[in-house]
Amino acid sequence: MEVVFNKPYLTGKEAHHLARVALSGKLSGNGQYTQMCHDFFQQRFGFRKALLTTSCTDALEMAAILCNIQPGDEVIMPSFTFVSTANAFLLRGARIRFADTYPHYPNIDPESIRKLINEKTRVILVVHYAGVACDMDTIMAMARQHDLMVVEDAAHAIDSGFRDRPLGGIGHLGAFSFHETKNIISGEGGMLVVNDDRLVSRAEIIWEKGTDRVAFSRGEVGKYVWKDIGSSFLPSEITAAVLYSQLEEFDEIQSKRKQVWQTYYEYLRPLEKRNLFNLPRLPEWSTVNGNMFFLMVRDIDERSELLAFLKQEGIHAVFHYLPLHSSEYFRPRHDGRTLHHTDRFAGGIVRLPFYNEMTENEINYVVNAIHKFYSKT
Ligand SMILES: *Cc1c(COP(=O)(O)O)cnc(C)c1O
């Protein structure tokens, strides 16, 4: 059997919606489909303001502008994340300070953040790894105390929550990804969520090349003019139409993905009990959104052997982020601190094949192969 790592799920309605875009003659951004997507997210999750972007990378770049980052300002973030989390702020001249994760989960540890806060700190950036919530109560309280902004990189975290609050909707700003490796997809795509009232009108301007074209399109101003810095962050209606076809099936997609996650968990739990590896240990405050499923094995050597073994069995499992603080680009810029827990997760995480239409049979096959690996060693 061959089990691939990811299969982007399409609903079958894409062609219909794309044809409507073509017939409408309106292909550029902020049209009807973009509006329908914004409405969906605002209604469903109560987000103050949703703005589709061409990627999560773009949403993070907008966030960095909205945080008013000046050269030398410090931003605290995890090292165990994707490059865009850091790049967006580096582009504005920020100094990145990498915090460590918890020992038992690859999310940023508020105690590690606390040690890095100084008079230059402006932003705390959290990543909800695999859709599992960071400790937002503690982090928001810390931010209030020191007058800092909080940005949530919620690329993995659509439809997940910190207790009953949606992730991406708690910090001042939240950034989502609709890249085809995420839960809800449009090929490339993303969204900035603005939760702070004071940032909404500036966000619209930055989104539209620094102009007030959004206000103009609502008829609020007679012509649109250059107001601020900005870029072309909005996607075309073509992207929004593909995203909309996913939103029509949002609940079905999410229930399938959560089922895959649950099945993995149940089938692997007996093996974890024999201390062969660890499964994700969820904090009591987090929900699960079926973003991905991973194991944590003893060390990098065991991981290489397991990945090679699974590959022989036709199973494409993968590791994840190389920590940013020890990357080729950043190592010379890092302050030299060792991030023990981050390094352990970077060496030990095994991500298992995960996609909406994964059958119980396929999950069983993966679980049995893992079992086989540990029986022979
Ligand atoms: C995927 C991802 C991104 C980037 O998303 P794009 O939409 O591809 O730009 C950023 N941060 C994290 C944590 C991600 O997983």
Side-chain angles (χ1 to χ4, degrees):
M1 196 192 278
E2 175 95 357
V3 188
V4 299
F5 178 66
N6 179 47
K7 276 189 208 171
Y9 171 74
L10 295 173
T11 68
K13 290 280 202 59
E14 293 78 11
H16 164 75
H17 290 298
L18 287 167
R20 285 192 55 197
V21 170
L23 291 170
S24 78
K26 160 77 177 167
L27 274 70
S28 63
N30 201 18
Q32 195 193 345
Y33 276 102
T34 300
Q35 287 304 326
M36 290 194 295
C37 292
H38 289 173
D39 289 346
F40 176 91
F41 289 113
Q42 286 165 189
Q43 279 161 20
R44 169 98 190 200
F45 298 109
F47 294 146
R48 167 72 181 81
K49 180 79 187 174
L51 290 169
L52 295 192
T53 54
T54 55
S55 62
C56 180
T57 301
D58 263 4
L60 289 163
E61 287 179 20
M62 283 186 72
I65 297 173
L66 284 163
C67 288
N68 246 326
I69 293 294
Q70 304 300 317
D73 288 350
E74 294 192 3
V75 178
I76 300 171
M77 64 175 68
S79 172
F80 194 64
T81 182
F82 191 59
V83 291
S84 298
T85 320
N87 263 332
F89 288 81
L90 281 175
L91 281 168
R92 312 240 42 91
R95 173 162 188 238
I96 308 294
R97 306 298 308 279
F98 287 118
D100 208 355
T101 68
Y102 291 111
H104 57 272
Y105 197 84
N107 273 349
I108 196 164
D109 180 348
E111 287 318 307
S112 179
I113 297 175
R114 204 185 297 280
K115 291 184 193 139
L116 293 173
I117 294 177
N118 62 39
E119 67 285 355
K120 292 195 175 142
T121 310
R122 295 289 171 271
V123 176
I124 300 172
L125 200 151
V126 303
V127 178
H128 305 294
Y129 185 78
V132 171
C134 295
D135 181 357
M136 294 310 288
D137 276 346
T138 304
I139 290 166
M140 295 308 290
M142 217 183 274
R144 267 193 301 276
Q145 189 191 342
H146 297 278
D147 197 19
L148 308 175
M149 305 262 291
V150 174
V151 178
E152 299 176 73
D153 179 338
H156 303 175
I158 191 81
D159 194 33
S160 196
F162 176 84
R163 304 194 196 281
D164 55 357
R165 289 147 74 198
L167 298 186
I170 302 170
H172 298 81
L173 298 158
F176 290 90
S177 176
F178 306 122
H179 185 266
E180 73 174 26
T181 52
K182 318 286 171 158
N183 291 45
I184 300 294
I185 63 174
S186 59
E188 303 282 350
M191 173 170 69
L192 181 74
V193 167
V194 184
N195 302 311
D196 185 330
D197 273 338
R198 295 167 299 180
L199 301 174
V200 169
S201 60
R202 186 161 188 234
E204 284 185 343
I205 287 169
I206 291 165
W207 191 56
E208 263 282 19
K209 297 105 181 159
T211 73
D212 57 356
R213 194 171 183 170
V214 176
F216 173 72
S217 70
R218 284 194 295 255
E220 293 166 13
V221 291
K223 59 178 172 15
Y224 71 89
V225 297
W226 188 12
K227 305 280 278 187
D228 201 335
I229 61 167
S231 191
S232 187
F233 287 118
L234 69 175
S236 81
E237 282 286 284
I238 298 169
T239 299
V242 175
L243 183 62
Y244 186 74
S245 51
Q246 299 264 308
L247 300 184
E248 286 182 315
E249 278 193 27
F250 192 88
D251 291 319
E252 290 86 340
I253 291 172
Q254 281 302 90
S255 97
K256 277 184 191 156
R257 294 187 73 95
K258 288 180 198 170
Q259 186 60 50
V260 171
W261 195 98
Q262 202 58 43
T263 307
Y264 262 132
Y265 194 83
E266 277 160 26
Y267 289 7
L268 286 166
R269 203 49 196 123
L271 301 186
E272 186 196 30
K273 283 195 177 136
R274 289 164 48 197
N275 288 321
L276 302 179
F277 48 74
N278 288 312
L279 293 178
R281 181 134 51 99
L282 304 178
E284 39 91 27
W285 59 68
S286 184
T287 61
V288 165
N289 71 340
N291 171 261
M292 64 166 106
F293 199 92
F294 68 90
L295 315 174
M296 184 56 194
V297 303
R298 194 175 339 127
D299 56 31
I300 198 163
D301 294 332
E302 181 171 308
R303 180 173 70 184
S304 306
E305 285 168 32
L306 175 59
L307 290 180
F309 179 80
L310 293 176
K311 199 167 172 196
Q312 274 174 28
E313 303 283 306
I315 297 165
H316 296 249
V318 296
F319 53 87
H320 213 180
Y321 305 123
L322 304 166
L324 299 181
H325 73 282
S326 49
S327 62
E328 181 185 319
Y329 175 73
F330 203 83
R331 196 182 311 137
R333 295 162 173 85
H334 180 56
D335 55 29
R337 281 167 309 114
T338 307
L339 304 176
H340 290 288
H341 304 311
T342 300
D343 290 340
R344 264 189 56 252
F345 284 112
I349 279 183
V350 175
R351 291 193 296 156
L352 301 178
F354 200 107
Y355 41 88
N356 297 11
E357 291 164 302
M358 207 170 172
T359 62
E360 193 154 332
N361 204 14
E362 288 169 323
I363 299 174
N364 236 323
Y365 182 73
V366 174
V367 171
N368 284 334
I370 294 169
H371 195 183
K372 213 156 108 189
F373 173 80
Y374 281 105
S375 312
K376 74 179 179 58
T377 48

